[in-house]
Amino acid sequence: MSTTRRRFLQTSTLTATSLALSGKRLLSQTATQVDAHIEILPSEPIATIAPEIYSHFIEQLGGVIYDGVWVGEKSKIANVNGIRKAFIDAMKAVQAPVLRWPGGCFAESYDWRDGIGPASKRPQRAAFWDQEDTNRYGTHEFMETCRAIGCAPYLAGDLRALPAKDFYQWIEYCNSAPGIGNALANERAANGDKEPYNVQFWGVGNESWGCGGNQTPEEYGEAWRRFTTWYPRQGDQPAAGAEPSARPELKLIACGPNGDDIAWTRGVMKSITADHLPYGLSVHYYTSGDAIHFAHGDALQFDDATHYDLLTRGSYMENVINHHWEALGEVDTRHKVKLVVDEWGAWYGKSTEIGPNYNLSQQSTMRDALLTGITLDIFQRHADKMAMANVAQSINCIHSLMLAREDKFTVTPTFHVFQMYMPHRGAKALRVEFAAPSITNTLATLSPVGGNSTVGSTAPITRLAGLSGSASMNGKTVTLSVVNPHLDRPMTTEINLGGMTIANVKATVLVSANIHDHNVFDHPNAVHPVPATTGAPTQGRLVHTFPAASVTTLQLTLA
């Protein structure tokens, strides 16, 4: 760290701390009396931010597929070949890069053959979540959904209930060209899609430590080798008697840990060995709304202490990424394997489900918008480690961007954060330093870290950053996203862009009068982003006040 930068951070910390102790109100302060400092370091790029970290996930669970995504071709609800048009439009509006399906735990009881062929002949199943599934929505309907959105498909294979043969035949069904002797490709064509889907992303099992078979890391490693040693080469088959050719551009994703379970990652990586490395390692990390039990707490009824506790535990995602990255490197010393956080979000109890058959649906408030910003900023600060992330889930389940029931539809505050952060994708992540007074998590001694069970680390997380965010650069535009988690304290902040001159600033803020505010079907625009005013830049310096409980993006155009 340079002397100038060290002095800047020391001064920033002292200033922020002294202001926190003095209790001065921000609006009465002069421009030089600030609560926090942010230093953006263009000379310290991290990596290109993969657009895929803004990816999505849908599962045959509750009202996600049936009524959320699929309404049927004959429905009075506006649809595109049976797919809810409002869902397609919203996914287009956030430029969804990848969509994961059919699960989740549902994937580990799903036979892909049940969901192909004439709809009238598809078998009806009870399936994993003990709910009726007609299999009306299957592989072809999912691919139609991806085509309508303009996103890439990510298929999760059944490793618990089906043999390896079914996995590689699903790949062949999806990706092989039709022709003489290619029965599966010809079957796909007969079912309505002659051209191959060319699916790149394939999950080999889901939560194999739990609903995917309650396996040990070594047992999963053996299954990984068995499922991935051979699979269709998409037309790049070797001649008779020749050596197998190089693998095609399939991106196979191994089942990783529940939360911060480092032992699982170490065990799997040692078991699959260096010559069977996956494209990515799946990680699941949920944050419950209750300080004691996973998946308890209320989406709408919470006090200040619970608010800060949820965000503090959500910010533990940074530790999850760092810990598993280090564990990956013990086997994959060149770090070819990246992290795929393909399930994340806040998970609450049943009190706000939008209907009796909408299992795991919940309302989404401004608190969830703050958690969304904190999480996406963590992914962007670790752009060198992240290949993909999939919010769980896109609609009508857990941390949704959309809620729908029959002809009613609304987007949530989480949707708006995804849209606000779009300028980051594909840009170069920059090192950014925040200096601001932190917030004490008074519920720290009660709080489980995360994951999706009560099993695992329960180490207390005592502090929440009083201001956090990330920065990226694309051409002459620097985008800075900032989350202020304080419930009643705006943060007047000095922003420095060392060695650069800021020509102009465009600011957008998502904020509401109350942290409990949310969108409902009758008032779908109650919470939405608005333009924000900011001070005039002076060379590479800008003073901006971030409102309490807000998510802000600043687009700084350089001279």
Side-chain angles (χ1 to χ4, degrees):
M1 182 184 291
S2 68
T3 302
T4 302
R5 180 175 162 199
R6 187 182 298 112
R7 187 183 301 116
F8 168 85
L9 293 173
Q10 290 171 346
T11 303
S12 302
T13 303
L14 290 172
T15 301
T17 303
S18 64
L19 285 171
L21 293 173
S22 70
K24 290 182 179 179
R25 277 305 184 195
L26 300 176
L27 295 179
S28 65
Q29 295 172 9
T30 66
T32 56
Q33 293 176 307
V34 296
D35 280 285
H37 288 76
I38 299 173
E39 184 182 17
I40 304 171
L41 305 166
S43 62
E44 298 188 35
I46 301 169
T48 298
I49 297 171
E52 288 79 14
I53 70 170
Y54 295 93
S55 294
H56 301 266
F57 168 39
I58 55 174
E59 180 175 1
Q60 253 96 326
L61 194 170
V64 178
I65 298 298
Y66 300 112
D67 201 28
V69 176
W70 180 262
V71 296
E73 303 97 324
K74 297 180 180 180
S75 173
K76 294 181 180 179
I77 299 168
N79 67 87
V80 178
N81 296 324
I83 305 155
R84 184 185 290 268
K85 186 176 184 301
F87 173 78
I88 294 171
D89 291 344
M91 293 288 271
K92 283 183 173 181
V94 294
Q95 295 179 11
V98 177
L99 184 60
R100 178 177 181 244
W101 173 84
C105 289
F106 179 87
E108 292 291 8
S109 66
Y110 182 65
D111 186 338
W112 63 269
R113 297 175 190 273
D114 288 346
I116 62 173
S120 61
K121 295 184 179 180
R122 297 181 189 180
Q124 186 169 302
R125 306 289 188 192
F128 181 86
W129 292 104
D130 194 26
Q131 64 186 56
E132 182 180 293
D133 189 344
T134 63
N135 278 300
R136 182 60 187 84
Y137 191 90
T139 299
H140 288 258
E141 290 76 19
F142 174 66
M143 294 301 171
E144 176 64 24
T145 304
C146 293
R147 282 195 295 260
I149 295 168
C151 67
Y154 170 9
L155 291 173
D158 182 349
L159 184 139
R160 178 181 71 94
L162 297 179
K165 178 188 73 172
D166 291 89
F167 179 68
Y168 69 69
Q169 286 190 348
W170 198 12
I171 296 175
E172 183 178 343
Y173 182 87
C174 289
N175 290 356
S176 295
I180 298 174
N182 197 337
L184 287 171
N186 292 334
E187 184 180 4
R188 183 194 67 236
N191 287 333
D193 283 311
K194 181 178 180 180
E195 296 303 317
Y197 298 135
N198 294 322
V199 180
Q200 282 192 307
F201 299 109
W202 293 86
V204 184
N206 171 79
E207 295 188 358
S208 296
W209 38 262
C211 65
N214 198 26
Q215 300 178 38
T216 66
E218 292 72 26
E219 287 171 337
Y220 176 77
E222 185 277 328
W224 165 269
R225 296 193 305 273
R226 182 159 38 85
F227 271 63
T228 65
T229 295
W230 184 264
Y231 51 85
R233 261 47 179 180
Q234 298 180 332
D236 192 18
Q237 297 280 7
E243 291 294 321
S245 60
R247 291 174 183 246
E249 280 298 312
L250 293 193
K251 296 178 179 179
L252 304 183
I253 297 167
C255 174
N258 175 24
D260 205 23
D261 186 356
I262 306 304
W264 176 271
T265 296
R266 286 195 174 116
V268 167
M269 289 300 292
K270 291 178 181 177
S271 181
I272 64 178
T273 69
D275 59 345
H276 278 83
L277 292 178
Y279 164 78
L281 182 78
S282 166
V283 178
H284 291 179
Y285 184 79
Y286 289 99
T287 311
S288 73
D290 186 275
I292 301 174
H293 303 103
F294 170 75
H296 286 196
D298 196 280
L300 296 181
Q301 304 299 321
F302 55 89
D303 58 18
D304 292 1
T306 302
H307 162 80
Y308 290 125
D309 176 67
L310 175 87
L311 298 186
T312 306
R313 287 182 288 115
S315 68
Y316 193 79
M317 179 71 82
E318 190 136 32
N319 300 65
V320 171
I321 290 172
N322 282 326
H323 293 166
H324 291 298
W325 186 251
E326 182 179 350
L328 283 173
E330 294 173 8
V331 172
D332 176 25
T333 57
R334 298 174 63 186
H335 274 305
K336 292 182 178 180
V337 182
K338 303 297 183 183
L339 294 173
V340 176
V341 184
D342 54 17
E343 292 188 29
W344 67 268
W347 191 331
Y348 305 114
K350 290 180 174 292
S351 60
T352 61
E353 287 183 332
I354 62 176
N357 298 317
Y358 290 72
N359 187 17
L360 302 188
S361 68
Q362 63 189 38
Q363 190 48 262
S364 177
T365 67
M366 271 299 303
R367 175 176 64 160
D368 300 293
L370 302 187
L371 177 64
T372 302
I374 288 170
T375 304
L376 293 176
D377 284 324
I378 290 170
F379 293 158
Q380 289 170 172
R381 292 198 301 269
H382 294 276
D384 55 330
K385 307 175 183 69
M386 295 290 301
M388 189 192 303
N390 306 71
V391 64
Q393 297 184 22
S394 303
I395 187 168
N396 284 354
C397 186
I398 311 181
H399 201 86
S400 296
L401 280 72
M402 295 157 261
L403 299 175
R405 184 177 183 183
E406 299 170 349
D407 62 344
K408 300 179 177 66
F409 182 87
T410 183
V411 297
T412 70
T414 293
F415 167 88
H416 292 305
V417 178
F418 267 72
Q419 199 166 46
M420 290 169 62
Y421 277 47
M422 284 170 59
H424 283 298
R425 60 180 67 196
K428 185 74 71 175
L430 304 177
R431 197 74 59 192
V432 57
E433 302 285 358
F434 285 76
S438 61
I439 300 168
T440 301
N441 178 18
T442 59
L443 301 181
T445 57
L446 303 175
S447 298
V449 169
N452 60 1
S453 73
T454 54
V455 178
S457 172
T458 55
I461 314 170
T462 60
R463 311 294 296 181
L464 171 66
L467 208 64
S468 64
S470 61
S472 66
M473 188 170 187
N474 190 351
K476 288 182 176 274
T477 300
V478 172
T479 300
L480 173 69
S481 48
V482 176
V483 176
N484 178 6
H486 292 88
L487 288 172
D488 57 4
R489 183 179 182 181
M491 298 289 284
T492 296
T493 305
E494 181 185 53
I495 302 165
N496 280 281
L497 193 56
M500 301 287 185
T501 299
I502 303 171
N504 56 66
V505 182
K506 177 185 176 183
T508 305
V509 63
L510 182 67
V511 67
S512 194
N514 192 299
I515 193 65
H516 301 86
D517 288 346
H518 55 282
N519 295 333
V520 295
F521 295 136
D522 292 338
H523 300 283
N525 205 35
V527 178
H528 63 277
V530 295
T533 57
T534 190
T538 304
Q539 297 295 317
R541 178 180 178 274
L542 173 71
V543 175
H544 182 81
T545 298
F546 297 98
S550 67
V551 181
T552 302
T553 54
L554 299 175
Q555 289 185 270
L556 313 173
T557 303
L558 305 179

